[in-house]
Amino acid sequence: MKNKRSNKGIQTSIPEPALRRMPTYLGYLRRLAEKGIEHVSAPAIARDLHLDPTLVTKDLAYTGITGKTRVGYEVRALMLSIENFLGLSKVNEAFLVGAGNLGKALINYPGFTDFGFRIVAAFDVAPPIVGQKVGEIAIQHLDNFREMAEKKKAMVGIITTPAHAAQSVADLMIGWGVKAIWNFAPVHIKVPENIILQNTSIYANLAVLLNKLNTRQSSNETD
Amino acid sequence: MKNKRSNKGIQTSIPEPALRRMPTYLGYLRRLAEKGIEHVSAPAIARDLHLDPTLVTKDLAYTGITGKTRVGYEVRALMLSIENFLGLSKVNEAFLVGAGNLGKALINYPGFTDFGFRIVAAFDVAPPIVGQKVGEIAIQHLDNFREMAEKKKAMVGIITTPAHAAQSVADLMIGWGVKAIWNFAPVHIKVPENIILQNTSIYANLAVLLNKLNTRQSSNETD
DNA sequence: CAGTGTGAAGTTGTTCACAGCA
DNA sequence: TGCTGTGAACAACTTCACACTG
C-alpha cells in the first residue's frame, strides 16, 4: 500500500491556499461575465492573475468542475461551481461586537452580500457608539447580546474589539451558540475544540510589507 | 558547499509564514513586558499562542537573538530583536487613497504607530468625503495627490478604493515615487517589477471561514 | 531536567513533464 | 496546436529527534 500523501484522516481536504485563492477567481470571473465573456482557459486566468497555469487548473478541479479541451471553461458554470464549493448559496449570518471604525467598515462592506454573508446585528459598549446607525444596522449595547442571540441565530461572531476585550467577547459568543469566530483583534483567543476560529490580522500583512520594503526585495506578490 | 535552501539569489530570506507570525510574538511580548515579566521560554510562548515549540525557537532565531538555556529569552531584548528585524525603528510613512469606511478605519488604526507606520495623507474623490477630518488627517481631493507627493515623500501607498479604481490609483502612486503598494481592493493590480505589492483581502479569510463552517471542520486555527 | 539549538524526516503546496484530446 | 488533466519531481514549511548546556 503505497500512499504518497499520508492520509491520516478519511477525506483529504483541499489545501488552504487554494481556498484563499477562490475569491480571487470568483471576482475575476464575475468581471468577465459582466463583459459578456463566455469562455476562459486556465492559462488565460493564470496570466491575468499572475499565477501558475497548472495551479489554476488544480484549484478549479477542486471545485468539481471539468473543462473542455481547447475551449477552456464556461464562465458561468465555473462561477457557479466555485460559489457552490464555497457554500455561498446559503446565507451565513453574523453578529459583530466592537463597532469602532473597523467594525463599521465591515458592517457596510459592500462585497459581503456577494459571498452570502450578512451581519445581522452589531454591539458595542461605548456610549457614543451605542445607538448609532450604520447602514441598516443599529448598534446595540452589548448587554442586549444575550437577548438578541436568543432571538436571531447567527453562526458567526465577528470580534472587532480592542485586544483586551476579545477573549471575554469570544466566551460570550460561544455561550450563545455561535459556531465560528472571526477574530480581528490582535490577540490569540482560546476557544473550545468544536468552534471554528479564524484570525485576521492586519499586522501580519504589514510586517511582510515592511520587511520587503526595508530589505528591498521587490516584485514579490502575496496576500 | 551544501546549501539546503536552493538559494537562487545571494541571501536566504526568511520564510514568509515566519514573518507573518512576528507581529503576534511582538504583541504577546509587549503584554508580558507590561506585566513586568522579564524572561520567557519558547515552549511557554508556544503554549500561549498555540504553536509548536520548535517553530517558535526557529522563528526567534531568524531575528538574530539567542536565548539562555533553562532561562529562556529576556523579554525586552527579544522585543527589540523582533522590532529591529522588522525594521520598526525607522518610521515608514504612507499615503492612503479611498477614505471610505475601510480607509477611515486604517487612518485611525491605533496599532500602526507601534509598528513604526504612519499614514500622513489621505485622498478621495467623493464630495461628501473630501474635506472630512479623520483623526489628525484631513481628506484631500485626489487632484491634490501630485502636489502632495512632491512635498511629502511616502514610501507606501495604501489603496482602499473600489475595485474599478484600484489600477489607476496604483499607476498614479507609482508615478509619484511610492516604493510599495498595499492593496485592499479586491482586484489584482499590475505593478512594475521593482515595486513591492502587498495584497490584503478580507475575502480570502472569509472563504476559509465559510468553507470550514459549511464542511464543519472545526478546531482549525489560521490567519 | 527544562531549556536552546539543529540536522533530518515528514508534510503540504507548487511546478514540471507529458499523455490525451479536439 | 492549445488546451485539460495528472502523476512525479521539487520546494517550502513544520515537526520530530536528539545532542548540548547550566
Side-chain angles (χ1 to χ4, degrees):
Chain A
M1 193 205 247
K2 42 170 71 174
N3 55 346
K4 54 221 93 145
R5 296 280 183 207
S6 83
N7 226 324
K8 57 182 144 176
I10 298 105
Q11 56 171 339
T12 309
S13 84
I14 88 144
E16 185 171 309
L19 215 41
R20 301 177 64 87
R21 284 187 292 269
M22 292 300 170
T24 308
Y25 295 133
L26 196 48
Y28 173 78
L29 292 167
R30 281 174 178 163
R31 263 168 277 131
L32 289 189
E34 269 168 31
K35 289 188 204 151
I37 295 168
E38 293 186 347
H39 295 276
V40 68
S41 71
I45 298 175
R47 255 189 312 282
D48 289 344
L49 264 31
H50 308 120
L51 297 169
D52 182 276
T54 320
L55 186 63
V56 174
T57 307
K58 291 201 166 160
D59 284 350
L60 300 184
Y62 289 127
T63 72
I65 204 170
T66 157
K68 285 187 190 67
T69 305
R70 194 132 172 78
V71 185
Y73 302 83
E74 210 218 314
V75 173
R76 276 218 69 72
L78 189 45
M79 280 172 53
L80 288 173
S81 180
I82 296 175
E83 286 170 2
N84 205 56
F85 175 73
L86 291 177
L88 308 189
S89 38
K90 57 173 263 201
V91 174
N92 293 281
E93 305 200 317
F95 292 139
L96 180 146
V97 176
N101 280 284
L102 179 57
K104 283 177 192 158
L106 294 180
I107 292 169
N108 47 29
Y109 214 56
F112 282 161
T113 44
D114 294 344
F115 281 82
F117 189 71
R118 233 181 98 214
I119 296 172
V120 294
F123 305 86
D124 206 299
V125 290
I129 291 176
V130 174
Q132 282 180 22
K133 237 184 152 195
V134 182
E136 299 285 282
I137 305 288
I139 315 297
Q140 304 177 56
H141 193 281
L142 189 54
D143 292 347
N144 294 356
F145 186 85
R146 178 177 164 152
E147 191 192 331
M148 200 65 189
E150 279 170 342
K151 246 187 289 184
K152 288 193 190 179
K153 278 287 164 217
M155 286 287 146
V156 181
I158 303 175
I159 300 179
T160 43
T161 64
H164 68 270
Q167 183 65 60
S168 62
V169 167
D171 295 344
L172 182 70
M173 285 173 163
I174 294 163
W176 288 97
V178 148
K179 293 281 170 287
I181 286 187
W182 193 1
N183 175 40
F184 287 81
V187 261
H188 269 252
I189 57 183
K190 289 200 135 178
V191 300
E193 280 282 298
N194 61 324
I195 299 292
I196 295 158
L197 176 60
Q198 180 71 28
N199 292 301
T200 294
S201 166
I202 225 71
Y203 299 122
N205 292 279
L206 181 58
V208 176
L209 189 151
L210 291 182
N211 179 79
K212 281 181 196 160
L213 189 61
N214 293 318
T215 62
R216 228 355 76 60
Q217 269 164 30
S218 56
S219 90
N220 225 330
E221 190 178 318
T222 1
D223 70 88
Chain B
M1 194 201 248
K2 42 172 72 176
N3 54 348
K4 52 221 95 151
R5 295 270 184 216
S6 86
N7 228 323
K8 53 183 145 174
I10 298 106
Q11 57 171 334
T12 309
S13 82
I14 88 146
E16 185 171 311
L19 214 41
R20 300 178 65 87
R21 284 187 292 270
M22 292 300 170
T24 309
Y25 295 133
L26 195 49
Y28 174 78
L29 292 167
R30 282 174 177 163
R31 264 169 276 130
L32 290 189
E34 270 170 29
K35 288 187 204 153
I37 295 168
E38 293 184 347
H39 294 277
V40 68
S41 72
I45 298 175
R47 254 190 313 283
D48 289 344
L49 264 30
H50 308 120
L51 298 170
D52 183 278
T54 320
L55 186 63
V56 174
T57 307
K58 290 197 167 163
D59 284 350
L60 299 184
Y62 289 126
T63 72
I65 204 168
T66 157
K68 287 187 188 67
T69 305
R70 194 130 172 79
V71 184
Y73 301 82
E74 210 218 314
V75 173
R76 277 217 70 72
L78 188 45
M79 279 172 54
L80 288 174
S81 179
I82 296 174
E83 286 170 1
N84 206 57
F85 175 74
L86 291 178
L88 308 189
S89 36
K90 57 174 263 201
V91 173
N92 293 282
E93 305 200 317
F95 291 139
L96 180 145
V97 177
N101 279 284
L102 180 56
K104 283 177 190 158
L106 294 180
I107 291 169
N108 46 28
Y109 214 57
F112 282 161
T113 45
D114 295 345
F115 281 82
F117 190 70
R118 233 180 98 214
I119 295 172
V120 293
F123 306 86
D124 206 299
V125 290
I129 291 177
V130 173
Q132 281 181 24
K133 236 183 152 198
V134 182
E136 299 285 282
I137 305 289
I139 314 298
Q140 305 175 57
H141 193 280
L142 189 55
D143 292 345
N144 295 355
F145 185 84
R146 179 176 165 154
E147 189 193 332
M148 200 65 190
E150 279 170 343
K151 245 186 293 184
K152 288 194 190 180
K153 278 288 164 219
M155 285 288 147
V156 181
I158 303 176
I159 301 179
T160 42
T161 64
H164 68 268
Q167 183 65 59
S168 61
V169 167
D171 295 343
L172 182 70
M173 286 173 163
I174 293 163
W176 288 97
V178 148
K179 292 281 169 289
I181 287 187
W182 193 0
N183 174 41
F184 287 82
V187 261
H188 269 252
I189 58 184
K190 289 200 138 180
V191 299
E193 280 281 299
N194 62 323
I195 299 291
I196 296 159
L197 176 59
Q198 181 71 28
N199 292 300
T200 295
S201 165
I202 225 70
Y203 299 123
N205 292 279
L206 182 59
V208 176
L209 189 150
L210 290 183
N211 179 80
K212 282 182 195 159
L213 189 60
N214 293 318
T215 62
R216 231 349 82 59
Q217 269 164 29
S218 56
S219 88
N220 227 332
E221 189 178 320
T222 0
D223 68 89

